[in-house]
Amino acid sequence: MAVKKFRELDEALVRQKEAAFADFIQKQGLKTTRQRNTIISTFFRMRGHISVEELLNQVKQANPRIGYATVYRTLHLLVDSGLVEERRFGDGLARYEGHSDVEHHDHMICLECGEIFEFFNPRLEALQESLAEENDFQIFRHRLELYGACKDKDACQRRKSRTGAAAAEE
Amino acid sequence: MAVKKFRELDEALVRQKEAAFADFIQKQGLKTTRQRNTIISTFFRMRGHISVEELLNQVKQANPRIGYATVYRTLHLLVDSGLVEERRFGDGLARYEGHSDVEHHDHMICLECGEIFEFFNPRLEALQESLAEENDFQIFRHRLELYGACKDKDACQRRKSRTGAAAAEE
DNA sequence: TGGATTACGAAAACTGTTTTCAATATCGGC
DNA sequence: GCCGATATTGAAAACAGTTTTCGTAATCCA
Protein backbone atom coordinates (compact mmCIF):
# COMPACT_ATOMS: atom_id res chain seq x y z
CA MET A 1 0.00 0.00 0.00
CA ALA A 2 2.47 2.56 -1.15
CA VAL A 3 1.23 6.09 -0.84
CA LYS A 4 1.25 7.40 -4.35
CA LYS A 5 2.57 10.90 -4.52
CA PHE A 6 -0.31 12.72 -6.08
CA ARG A 7 0.28 15.11 -8.90
CA GLU A 8 3.83 16.03 -8.44
CA LEU A 9 4.40 19.06 -10.58
CA ASP A 10 5.67 17.47 -13.70
CA GLU A 11 7.85 19.87 -15.61
CA ALA A 12 7.86 17.65 -18.68
CA LEU A 13 4.09 17.56 -18.74
CA VAL A 14 3.93 21.32 -18.44
CA ARG A 15 6.30 21.70 -21.37
CA GLN A 16 4.20 19.31 -23.36
CA LYS A 17 1.11 21.40 -22.71
CA GLU A 18 2.92 24.55 -23.63
CA ALA A 19 4.03 22.99 -26.87
CA ALA A 20 0.52 21.81 -27.61
CA PHE A 21 -0.76 25.32 -27.09
CA ALA A 22 1.92 26.79 -29.33
CA ASP A 23 0.82 24.30 -31.92
CA PHE A 24 -2.78 25.32 -31.58
CA ILE A 25 -1.90 28.99 -31.91
CA GLN A 26 0.09 28.31 -35.02
CA LYS A 27 -2.56 26.16 -36.63
CA GLN A 28 -5.14 28.86 -36.01
CA GLY A 29 -2.97 31.49 -37.63
CA LEU A 30 -2.72 33.40 -34.38
CA LYS A 31 0.33 35.03 -32.96
CA THR A 32 2.68 34.01 -30.24
CA THR A 33 3.04 36.76 -27.68
CA ARG A 34 4.90 37.32 -24.46
CA GLN A 35 1.68 37.78 -22.57
CA ARG A 36 0.11 34.59 -23.78
CA ASN A 37 3.23 32.68 -22.95
CA THR A 38 3.38 34.17 -19.49
CA ILE A 39 -0.25 33.38 -18.86
CA ILE A 40 -0.22 29.81 -20.00
CA SER A 41 3.05 28.93 -18.29
CA THR A 42 1.69 30.37 -15.11
CA PHE A 43 -1.58 28.57 -15.54
CA PHE A 44 -0.07 25.16 -16.19
CA ARG A 45 2.13 25.52 -13.16
CA MET A 46 -0.81 26.12 -10.88
CA ARG A 47 -2.96 23.38 -9.49
CA GLY A 48 -6.58 22.84 -8.92
CA HIS A 49 -9.56 24.76 -10.11
CA ILE A 50 -8.29 28.17 -10.88
CA SER A 51 -10.38 31.31 -11.00
CA VAL A 52 -9.55 34.19 -13.28
CA GLU A 53 -8.61 36.35 -10.37
CA GLU A 54 -6.29 33.75 -8.91
CA LEU A 55 -4.60 33.38 -12.23
CA LEU A 56 -4.28 37.09 -12.81
CA ASN A 57 -2.72 37.58 -9.38
CA GLN A 58 -0.12 34.99 -10.16
CA VAL A 59 0.46 36.32 -13.65
CA LYS A 60 1.00 39.82 -12.36
CA GLN A 61 4.02 38.63 -10.43
CA ALA A 62 5.68 37.84 -13.71
CA ASN A 63 4.30 40.82 -15.58
CA PRO A 64 2.24 43.40 -13.69
CA ARG A 65 1.07 45.08 -16.84
CA ILE A 66 -1.07 42.15 -17.92
CA GLY A 67 -4.71 42.80 -17.20
CA TYR A 68 -8.00 40.95 -16.98
CA ALA A 69 -8.82 41.23 -20.66
CA THR A 70 -5.79 39.33 -21.81
CA VAL A 71 -6.20 36.67 -19.17
CA TYR A 72 -9.81 36.14 -20.15
CA ARG A 73 -8.90 36.02 -23.79
CA THR A 74 -6.10 33.58 -23.25
CA LEU A 75 -8.27 31.33 -21.13
CA HIS A 76 -10.78 31.18 -23.95
CA LEU A 77 -8.02 30.13 -26.26
CA LEU A 78 -6.97 27.46 -23.82
CA VAL A 79 -10.50 26.15 -23.68
CA ASP A 80 -10.81 26.24 -27.46
CA SER A 81 -7.57 24.36 -27.75
CA GLY A 82 -9.03 21.60 -25.62
CA LEU A 83 -6.21 21.83 -23.13
CA VAL A 84 -8.35 23.36 -20.43
CA GLU A 85 -11.87 22.92 -19.20
CA GLU A 86 -14.15 25.57 -17.84
CA ARG A 87 -16.21 24.70 -14.79
CA ARG A 88 -18.80 26.53 -12.81
CA PHE A 89 -19.59 25.49 -9.29
CA GLY A 90 -22.44 27.82 -8.60
CA ASP A 91 -20.48 30.48 -6.75
CA GLY A 92 -20.83 32.63 -9.82
CA LEU A 93 -17.30 32.44 -11.09
CA ALA A 94 -15.72 30.40 -13.79
CA ARG A 95 -12.91 28.11 -12.82
CA TYR A 96 -10.41 26.55 -15.13
CA GLU A 97 -8.87 23.19 -14.94
CA GLY A 98 -5.66 22.31 -16.66
CA HIS A 99 -3.57 19.20 -16.54
CA SER A 100 -5.64 16.51 -15.03
CA ASP A 101 -4.37 12.99 -14.51
CA VAL A 102 -7.76 11.65 -15.24
CA GLU A 103 -9.44 12.33 -18.52
CA HIS A 104 -12.89 12.83 -17.12
CA HIS A 105 -13.78 13.17 -13.49
CA ASP A 106 -16.42 14.48 -11.15
CA HIS A 107 -16.15 16.71 -8.13
CA MET A 108 -16.72 16.77 -4.44
CA ILE A 109 -16.85 20.26 -3.05
CA CYS A 110 -16.28 20.72 0.67
CA LEU A 111 -18.53 23.46 1.91
CA GLU A 112 -16.46 23.76 5.10
CA CYS A 113 -13.04 24.44 3.68
CA GLY A 114 -13.90 25.18 0.06
CA GLU A 115 -11.60 22.51 -1.21
CA ILE A 116 -12.52 20.74 -4.43
CA PHE A 117 -11.73 17.06 -4.80
CA GLU A 118 -11.81 15.03 -7.94
CA PHE A 119 -12.98 11.50 -8.34
CA PHE A 120 -13.89 9.05 -10.99
CA ASN A 121 -15.95 5.92 -10.79
CA PRO A 122 -16.66 3.70 -13.76
CA ARG A 123 -19.79 2.20 -12.24
CA LEU A 124 -21.23 5.64 -11.89
CA GLU A 125 -20.45 6.39 -15.49
CA ALA A 126 -21.95 3.14 -16.67
CA LEU A 127 -25.09 3.65 -14.66
CA GLN A 128 -25.62 7.07 -16.14
CA GLU A 129 -25.11 5.68 -19.57
CA SER A 130 -27.68 2.96 -19.10
CA LEU A 131 -30.15 5.38 -17.60
CA ALA A 132 -29.78 7.66 -20.56
CA GLU A 133 -30.23 4.78 -22.92
CA GLU A 134 -33.46 3.77 -21.24
CA ASN A 135 -34.74 7.22 -22.05
CA ASP A 136 -33.47 7.45 -25.61
CA PHE A 137 -31.06 10.09 -24.54
CA GLN A 138 -27.58 10.40 -25.92
CA ILE A 139 -25.09 11.86 -23.47
CA PHE A 140 -22.47 14.25 -24.81
CA ARG A 141 -21.09 15.20 -21.46
CA HIS A 142 -22.20 15.27 -17.90
CA ARG A 143 -21.51 16.92 -14.65
CA LEU A 144 -21.75 15.49 -11.18
CA GLU A 145 -20.99 17.49 -8.12
CA LEU A 146 -21.29 16.39 -4.54
CA TYR A 147 -21.53 19.23 -2.08
CA GLY A 148 -20.86 18.48 1.53
CA ALA A 149 -18.14 18.25 4.12
CA CYS A 150 -15.04 16.37 4.95
CA LYS A 151 -16.06 14.37 7.98
CA ASP A 152 -13.73 16.17 10.35
CA LYS A 153 -11.44 19.14 10.34
CA ASP A 154 -8.35 16.99 10.50
CA ALA A 155 -9.08 14.92 7.48
CA CYS A 156 -10.04 18.09 5.72
CA GLN A 157 -6.70 19.73 6.45
CA ARG A 158 -4.64 16.67 5.60
CA ARG A 159 -6.23 16.50 2.21
CA LYS A 160 -5.90 20.15 1.63
CA SER A 161 -2.15 19.80 1.79
CA ARG A 162 -2.35 17.25 -0.96
CA THR A 163 -3.53 19.87 -3.41
CA GLY A 164 -7.09 19.24 -4.19
CA ALA A 165 -7.18 15.66 -5.21
CA ALA A 166 -9.07 13.04 -3.35
CA ALA A 167 -10.69 9.77 -4.14
CA ALA A 168 -7.38 8.22 -4.96
CA GLU A 169 -6.08 6.03 -2.24
CA GLU A 170 -5.91 7.12 1.32
CA MET B 1 -48.92 -0.44 -18.94
CA ALA B 2 -51.22 2.47 -18.58
CA VAL B 3 -49.74 5.71 -19.74
CA LYS B 4 -49.69 7.85 -16.70
CA LYS B 5 -50.78 11.38 -17.42
CA PHE B 6 -47.76 13.36 -16.36
CA ARG B 7 -48.12 16.42 -14.26
CA GLU B 8 -51.59 17.53 -15.05
CA LEU B 9 -51.89 21.00 -13.67
CA ASP B 10 -53.32 20.27 -10.31
CA GLU B 11 -55.28 23.22 -9.03
CA ALA B 12 -55.49 21.73 -5.57
CA LEU B 13 -51.74 21.34 -5.40
CA VAL B 14 -51.25 24.91 -6.51
CA ARG B 15 -53.58 26.12 -3.79
CA GLN B 16 -51.71 24.06 -1.28
CA LYS B 17 -48.45 25.67 -2.31
CA GLU B 18 -49.98 29.10 -2.14
CA ALA B 19 -51.24 28.37 1.33
CA ALA B 20 -47.86 27.08 2.39
CA PHE B 21 -46.27 30.27 1.16
CA ALA B 22 -48.83 32.41 2.96
CA ASP B 23 -47.96 30.46 6.05
CA PHE B 24 -44.29 31.08 5.60
CA ILE B 25 -44.84 34.79 5.09
CA GLN B 26 -46.90 34.98 8.24
CA LYS B 27 -44.45 33.02 10.33
CA GLN B 28 -41.64 35.29 9.22
CA GLY B 29 -43.60 38.39 10.17
CA LEU B 30 -43.68 39.53 6.57
CA LYS B 31 -46.58 41.06 4.76
CA THR B 32 -48.98 39.69 2.24
CA THR B 33 -49.05 41.84 -0.86
CA ARG B 34 -50.85 41.84 -4.16
CA GLN B 35 -47.58 41.62 -6.04
CA ARG B 36 -46.29 38.64 -4.14
CA ASN B 37 -49.58 36.87 -4.60
CA THR B 38 -49.57 37.57 -8.30
CA ILE B 39 -46.03 36.36 -8.66
CA ILE B 40 -46.38 33.14 -6.76
CA SER B 41 -49.69 32.19 -8.33
CA THR B 42 -48.20 32.79 -11.71
CA PHE B 43 -45.11 30.84 -10.81
CA PHE B 44 -46.91 27.81 -9.47
CA ARG B 45 -49.06 27.66 -12.56
CA MET B 46 -46.07 27.49 -14.85
CA ARG B 47 -44.15 24.34 -15.55
CA GLY B 48 -40.58 23.37 -15.89
CA HIS B 49 -37.47 25.28 -15.08
CA ILE B 50 -38.44 28.88 -15.11
CA SER B 51 -36.08 31.78 -15.63
CA VAL B 52 -36.67 35.15 -14.05
CA GLU B 53 -37.39 36.69 -17.40
CA GLU B 54 -39.94 34.04 -18.31
CA LEU B 55 -41.68 34.54 -15.02
CA LEU B 56 -41.66 38.31 -15.27
CA ASN B 57 -43.17 38.17 -18.76
CA GLN B 58 -45.97 36.03 -17.49
CA VAL B 59 -46.46 38.14 -14.39
CA LYS B 60 -46.68 41.30 -16.42
CA GLN B 61 -49.79 39.97 -18.11
CA ALA B 62 -51.52 40.06 -14.79
CA ASN B 63 -49.88 43.25 -13.59
CA PRO B 64 -47.61 45.17 -15.95
CA ARG B 65 -46.28 47.40 -13.21
CA ILE B 66 -44.42 44.61 -11.48
CA GLY B 67 -40.73 44.79 -12.23
CA TYR B 68 -37.63 42.66 -11.96
CA ALA B 69 -36.79 43.67 -8.43
CA THR B 70 -39.99 42.34 -6.97
CA VAL B 71 -39.80 39.13 -8.96
CA TYR B 72 -36.26 38.52 -7.79
CA ARG B 73 -37.19 39.28 -4.23
CA THR B 74 -40.19 37.02 -4.29
CA LEU B 75 -38.22 34.19 -5.81
CA HIS B 76 -35.75 34.45 -2.98
CA LEU B 77 -38.60 34.17 -0.54
CA LEU B 78 -39.88 31.12 -2.35
CA VAL B 79 -36.47 29.54 -2.13
CA ASP B 80 -36.17 30.43 1.55
CA SER B 81 -39.57 28.93 2.17
CA GLY B 82 -38.34 25.66 0.75
CA LEU B 83 -41.12 25.57 -1.83
CA VAL B 84 -38.85 26.29 -4.73
CA GLU B 85 -35.37 25.32 -5.76
CA GLU B 86 -32.87 27.40 -7.61
CA ARG B 87 -30.87 25.72 -10.36
CA ARG B 88 -28.12 26.85 -12.64
CA PHE B 89 -27.41 25.01 -15.84
CA GLY B 90 -24.36 26.87 -16.98
CA ASP B 91 -26.09 29.22 -19.38
CA GLY B 92 -25.57 31.95 -16.85
CA LEU B 93 -29.09 32.33 -15.64
CA ALA B 94 -30.85 31.07 -12.60
CA ARG B 95 -33.84 28.86 -13.10
CA TYR B 96 -36.49 28.07 -10.56
CA GLU B 97 -38.33 24.87 -10.04
CA GLY B 98 -41.60 24.67 -8.25
CA HIS B 99 -43.93 21.77 -7.68
CA SER B 100 -42.10 18.65 -8.47
CA ASP B 101 -43.66 15.25 -8.13
CA VAL B 102 -40.37 13.86 -7.07
CA GLU B 103 -38.62 15.16 -4.02
CA HIS B 104 -35.13 15.06 -5.41
CA HIS B 105 -34.22 14.48 -9.02
CA ASP B 106 -31.51 15.01 -11.55
CA HIS B 107 -31.62 16.50 -15.02
CA MET B 108 -31.06 15.62 -18.62
CA ILE B 109 -30.68 18.67 -20.79
CA CYS B 110 -31.24 18.29 -24.51
CA LEU B 111 -28.79 20.50 -26.32
CA GLU B 112 -30.84 20.20 -29.52
CA CYS B 113 -34.18 21.46 -28.35
CA GLY B 114 -33.26 22.94 -25.01
CA GLU B 115 -35.75 20.85 -23.15
CA ILE B 116 -34.94 19.81 -19.61
CA PHE B 117 -36.02 16.38 -18.38
CA GLU B 118 -36.08 15.14 -14.85
CA PHE B 119 -35.17 11.75 -13.61
CA PHE B 120 -34.44 9.91 -10.45
CA ASN B 121 -32.63 6.68 -9.88
CA PRO B 122 -32.07 5.18 -6.45
CA ARG B 123 -29.08 3.13 -7.55
CA LEU B 124 -27.37 6.28 -8.69
CA GLU B 125 -28.05 7.91 -5.37
CA ALA B 126 -26.82 4.93 -3.45
CA LEU B 127 -23.67 4.72 -5.49
CA GLN B 128 -22.85 8.32 -4.85
CA GLU B 129 -23.44 7.82 -1.19
CA SER B 130 -21.10 4.87 -0.98
CA LEU B 131 -18.45 6.68 -3.00
CA ALA B 132 -18.62 9.61 -0.65
CA GLU B 133 -18.36 7.35 2.32
CA GLU B 134 -15.24 5.73 0.94
CA ASN B 135 -13.69 9.17 0.92
CA ASP B 136 -14.92 10.30 4.30
CA PHE B 137 -17.10 12.80 2.63
CA GLN B 138 -20.54 13.68 3.87
CA ILE B 139 -22.93 14.72 1.12
CA PHE B 140 -25.32 17.55 1.85
CA ARG B 141 -26.66 17.79 -1.64
CA HIS B 142 -25.60 16.95 -5.11
CA ARG B 143 -26.18 17.83 -8.67
CA LEU B 144 -26.09 15.60 -11.68
CA GLU B 145 -26.72 16.87 -15.14
CA LEU B 146 -26.54 14.93 -18.35
CA TYR B 147 -26.10 17.08 -21.43
CA GLY B 148 -26.85 15.56 -24.77
CA ALA B 149 -29.60 14.94 -27.24
CA CYS B 150 -32.85 13.16 -27.66
CA LYS B 151 -32.01 10.42 -30.12
CA ASP B 152 -34.18 11.81 -32.86
CA LYS B 153 -36.23 14.87 -33.57
CA ASP B 154 -39.49 13.01 -33.31
CA ALA B 155 -38.94 11.66 -29.87
CA CYS B 156 -37.70 15.05 -28.86
CA GLN B 157 -40.85 16.75 -30.05
CA ARG B 158 -43.16 14.18 -28.56
CA ARG B 159 -41.58 14.66 -25.21
CA LYS B 160 -41.62 18.38 -25.48
CA SER B 161 -45.39 18.28 -25.65
CA ARG B 162 -45.37 16.42 -22.38
CA THR B 163 -44.04 19.44 -20.58
CA GLY B 164 -40.53 18.78 -19.62
CA ALA B 165 -40.70 15.54 -17.76
CA ALA B 166 -39.05 12.40 -18.94
CA ALA B 167 -37.64 9.32 -17.37
CA ALA B 168 -40.96 8.20 -16.10
CA GLU B 169 -42.55 5.52 -18.17
CA GLU B 170 -42.74 5.77 -21.93
C1' DT C 1 12.65 45.32 -42.79
C1' DG C 2 7.96 46.78 -44.23
C1' DG C 3 3.56 46.45 -43.62
C1' DA C 4 -0.66 43.85 -43.10
C1' DT C 5 -2.55 41.75 -39.37
C1' DT C 6 -3.20 40.36 -34.74
C1' DA C 7 -2.83 41.34 -29.85
C1' DC C 8 -2.61 44.37 -25.96
C1' DG C 9 -4.39 47.25 -22.13
C1' DA C 10 -7.47 50.52 -20.16
C1' DA C 11 -11.76 51.70 -20.04
C1' DA C 12 -16.41 51.28 -21.43
C1' DA C 13 -20.14 48.13 -22.25
C1' DC C 14 -22.93 44.28 -21.11
C1' DT C 15 -25.63 40.70 -18.45
C1' DG C 16 -27.84 38.96 -14.73
C1' DT C 17 -28.69 40.14 -10.16
C1' DT C 18 -28.86 43.02 -5.91
C1' DT C 19 -29.40 47.24 -3.54
C1' DT C 20 -30.94 51.97 -2.72
C1' DC C 21 -34.33 55.24 -1.78
C1' DA C 22 -38.46 57.79 -1.83
C1' DA C 23 -43.23 56.71 -2.21
C1' DT C 24 -46.81 53.36 -0.99
C1' DA C 25 -49.17 49.50 1.10
C1' DT C 26 -49.96 46.40 4.99
C1' DC C 27 -51.74 45.17 9.43
C1' DG C 28 -51.96 45.01 14.63
C1' DG C 29 -53.74 47.92 18.02
C1' DC C 30 -56.86 51.43 19.37
C1' DG D 1 -62.39 51.85 10.50
C1' DC D 2 -58.15 54.63 11.25
C1' DC D 3 -53.17 55.30 12.83
C1' DG D 4 -48.76 54.63 12.56
C1' DA D 5 -44.81 51.61 12.76
C1' DT D 6 -42.94 48.69 9.60
C1' DA D 7 -42.47 46.16 5.37
C1' DT D 8 -42.80 46.48 0.34
C1' DT D 9 -42.69 48.43 -4.04
C1' DG D 10 -40.68 50.17 -8.49
C1' DA D 11 -37.31 52.77 -10.95
C1' DA D 12 -32.93 53.51 -11.18
C1' DA D 13 -28.34 52.98 -9.64
C1' DA D 14 -24.94 49.77 -8.13
C1' DC D 15 -22.55 45.52 -8.57
C1' DA D 16 -19.71 41.41 -10.09
C1' DG D 17 -18.02 38.87 -13.51
C1' DT D 18 -17.12 38.87 -18.19
C1' DT D 19 -16.80 40.76 -22.95
C1' DT D 20 -16.01 44.32 -26.23
C1' DT D 21 -14.09 48.58 -28.01
C1' DC D 22 -10.53 51.31 -29.65
C1' DG D 23 -6.16 53.39 -30.23
C1' DT D 24 -1.43 51.76 -29.70
C1' DA D 25 2.02 48.23 -29.95
C1' DA D 26 3.87 43.79 -31.21
C1' DT D 27 4.20 39.86 -34.40
C1' DC D 28 5.66 37.65 -38.45
C1' DC D 29 5.53 36.52 -43.48
C1' DA D 30 7.20 38.14 -47.83
Side-chain angles (χ1 to χ4, degrees):
Chain A
M1 190 169 280
V3 173
K4 194 162 67 179
K5 196 68 177 295
F6 214 80
R7 291 236 205 127
E8 183 94 334
L9 230 186
D10 184 341
E11 198 54 35
L13 184 54
V14 169
R15 296 253 172 67
Q16 187 184 308
K17 299 271 174 176
E18 289 173 346
F21 184 70
D23 231 61
F24 171 80
I25 290 295
Q26 189 122 358
K27 287 214 176 78
Q28 299 290 305
L30 304 176
K31 289 173 178 168
T32 307
T33 69
R34 286 165 138 286
Q35 291 91 330
R36 295 222 256 244
N37 286 340
T38 301
I39 292 167
I40 69 150
S41 315
T42 305
F43 179 83
F44 284 131
R45 271 160 243 273
M46 293 174 74
R47 308 165 170 293
H49 302 75
I50 302 161
S51 70
V52 175
E53 194 179 4
E54 282 163 6
L55 179 55
L56 179 62
N57 287 343
Q58 209 62 33
V59 162
K60 274 192 182 299
Q61 282 175 231
N63 179 352
R65 308 208 43 220
I66 294 177
Y68 272 106
T70 304
V71 170
Y72 272 108
R73 285 189 278 232
T74 305
L75 280 169
H76 289 325
L77 289 175
L78 281 167
V79 170
D80 290 348
S81 76
L83 290 165
V84 164
E85 276 188 72
E86 182 180 307
R87 309 243 175 216
R88 282 164 191 278
F89 298 110
D91 61 350
L93 36 131
R95 294 179 175 279
Y96 296 85
E97 212 177 346
H99 50 342
S100 209
D101 301 309
V102 205
E103 204 51 31
H104 161 77
H105 56 257
D106 298 307
H107 294 90
M108 293 186 197
I109 296 105
C110 179
L111 298 172
E112 304 290 333
C113 67
E115 199 61 25
I116 300 168
F117 308 110
E118 298 172 1
F119 70 93
F120 175 80
N121 182 282
R123 272 163 64 213
L124 207 50
E125 306 286 316
L127 190 46
Q128 287 172 40
E129 201 51 63
S130 71
L131 267 173
E133 208 150 324
E134 279 171 33
N135 290 282
D136 287 326
F137 193 84
Q138 183 189 0
I139 303 178
F140 295 162
R141 59 193 166 80
H142 75 246
R143 157 160 94 165
L144 173 59
E145 289 150 20
L146 309 182
Y147 295 89
C150 309
K151 278 270 168 54
D152 62 72
K153 272 280 176 234
D154 267 288
C156 173
Q157 293 314 318
R158 246 186 291 125
R159 279 191 189 146
K160 207 160 185 168
S161 66
R162 286 209 284 95
T163 62
E169 49 283 291
E170 191 69 38
Chain B
M1 191 169 279
V3 173
K4 193 162 65 179
K5 197 65 175 298
F6 214 79
R7 291 237 205 126
E8 183 94 334
L9 230 185
D10 185 340
E11 198 54 35
L13 183 55
V14 169
R15 296 252 173 67
Q16 187 184 308
K17 299 270 175 177
E18 289 173 345
F21 184 71
D23 231 61
F24 171 80
I25 289 295
Q26 189 122 0
K27 287 214 177 77
Q28 299 289 306
L30 304 175
K31 287 173 180 171
T32 307
T33 70
R34 287 165 140 288
Q35 292 91 329
R36 296 224 256 244
N37 286 339
T38 302
I39 292 166
I40 69 150
S41 316
T42 305
F43 179 83
F44 284 131
R45 271 161 242 271
M46 293 173 76
R47 309 166 169 295
H49 302 74
I50 302 161
S51 70
V52 174
E53 195 180 3
E54 282 164 5
L55 178 55
L56 179 61
N57 286 343
Q58 209 62 34
V59 161
K60 273 191 182 297
Q61 283 176 232
N63 179 353
R65 307 208 44 220
I66 294 176
Y68 272 105
T70 304
V71 169
Y72 272 108
R73 286 188 278 231
T74 306
L75 280 169
H76 289 325
L77 289 174
L78 281 167
V79 170
D80 291 347
S81 76
L83 291 165
V84 164
E85 275 187 72
E86 182 179 307
R87 310 244 176 216
R88 283 167 189 278
F89 299 110
D91 60 351
L93 35 131
R95 292 179 177 280
Y96 296 86
E97 213 178 345
H99 51 342
S100 211
D101 300 309
V102 205
E103 203 51 28
H104 160 78
H105 56 258
D106 299 307
H107 294 91
M108 295 186 195
I109 296 107
C110 178
L111 297 172
E112 304 290 333
C113 68
E115 199 61 25
I116 300 167
F117 308 109
E118 298 172 0
F119 70 93
F120 175 80
N121 182 284
R123 273 163 63 213
L124 207 51
E125 307 286 316
L127 191 45
Q128 287 172 38
E129 200 52 62
S130 72
L131 267 173
E133 207 149 325
E134 278 170 35
N135 289 283
D136 288 325
F137 193 83
Q138 183 189 0
I139 304 178
F140 294 163
R141 59 195 166 80
H142 74 246
R143 156 160 95 162
L144 172 60
E145 289 149 22
L146 310 181
Y147 295 88
C150 309
K151 280 270 168 53
D152 62 72
K153 272 280 177 234
D154 267 287
C156 173
Q157 293 314 320
R158 246 186 291 123
R159 278 192 188 145
K160 208 160 184 169
S161 66
R162 286 213 281 96
T163 61
E169 47 283 291
E170 191 71 37

